[in-house]
Amino acid sequence: MLLVLTDEHKEHLAFLPEVDSAVVGEFGRIALEFLKKGSNSKIYEGAATVFFFSTGKLNVAVDTVQHGVEGLMYLLSESSKLMISEVDFQDSVVVLGFPEELNKLLLQLYLDNQKEIRNILSELAPNLPHYHNLEWRLDVQLASRALRQQIKPTVTFKLHLEQNGEESAKVLQTDPATLLHLIQQLEQALGEMKTTHCRRIVRNIK
């Protein structure tokens, strides 16, 4: 599976051939810090200084360096998220037109940090309540004071959820017609999940 880079991402990474391998490695470290702690303007200012000493270019905009680090972060994080193979990673970056030595350096950055990046991404994922158990009951009202003959079915659910090792329960009620409609909508959603488009989206968010 190949990682598709947009023209914007390619533009953000375009500065990498202008610096030596040590600077690329440092920008990779900054990209990991970005994943862990978020954006920090001071870090990018320091990275711009490193860029100056490496290239001799005086007026390097901090935004240029920031975009480059963010582009590198995207390359590493998306590749790690999709668990792209070594061969597919090489094929994904070849479109950037970088020298072979730089491509090998990016591959090594990816291989060295893939596990850590996946751990960081898993920690950043929201911990939402998830399904634990379900109880249900069908009640049918056959008569009331106003109407001696009637059939009024009600379905009651007790949904047990779990979050951070703690359990909670939600009680829900509906009528059979609404429940049938809900089942149909869920079946339709499950059918759409089998389409190529949805499978591609699911792979990108894992």
Side-chain angles (χ1 to χ4, degrees), residues 2-95:
L2 299 182
L3 178 65
V4 179
L5 299 173
T6 65
D7 291 339
E8 183 181 17
H9 291 136
K10 294 176 184 177
E11 183 180 349
H12 288 173
L13 293 170
F15 81 102
L16 290 179
E18 302 178 25
V19 298
D20 57 37
S21 59
V23 175
V24 175
E26 176 64 13
F27 284 177
R29 185 192 66 79
I30 295 173
L32 286 179
E33 288 297 312
F34 180 96
L35 279 175
K36 293 178 182 177
K37 303 178 181 178
S39 181
N40 188 326
S41 58
K42 292 184 179 180
I43 293 180
Y44 294 128
E45 291 173 2
T49 303
V50 173
F51 185 88
F52 162 67
F53 283 113
S54 176
T55 64
K57 294 184 178 181
L58 182 59
N59 297 320
V60 179
V62 175
D63 287 347
T64 300
V65 176
Q66 178 177 348
H67 289 157
V69 172
E70 290 174 352
L72 188 57
M73 180 205 66
Y74 176 84
L75 175 65
L76 296 175
S77 62
E78 289 300 308
S79 299
S80 300
K81 184 190 300 183
L82 300 174
M83 298 184 68
I84 289 179
S85 68
E86 181 175 336
V87 173
D88 285 345
F89 183 89
Q90 291 175 305
D91 290 340
S92 297
V93 299
V94 74
V95 298

Side-chain angles (χ1 to χ4, degrees), residues 134-162:
L134 177 67
E135 301 176 58
W136 64 273
R137 184 181 72 235
L138 176 63
D139 298 314
V140 180
Q141 182 176 330
L142 300 177
S144 65
R145 290 183 179 181
L147 295 173
R148 292 187 177 182
Q149 293 184 350
Q150 64 172 347
I151 298 178
K152 185 179 180 182
T154 302
V155 184
T156 303
F157 297 97
K158 189 174 185 180
L159 179 61
H160 297 267
L161 304 173
E162 186 175 346

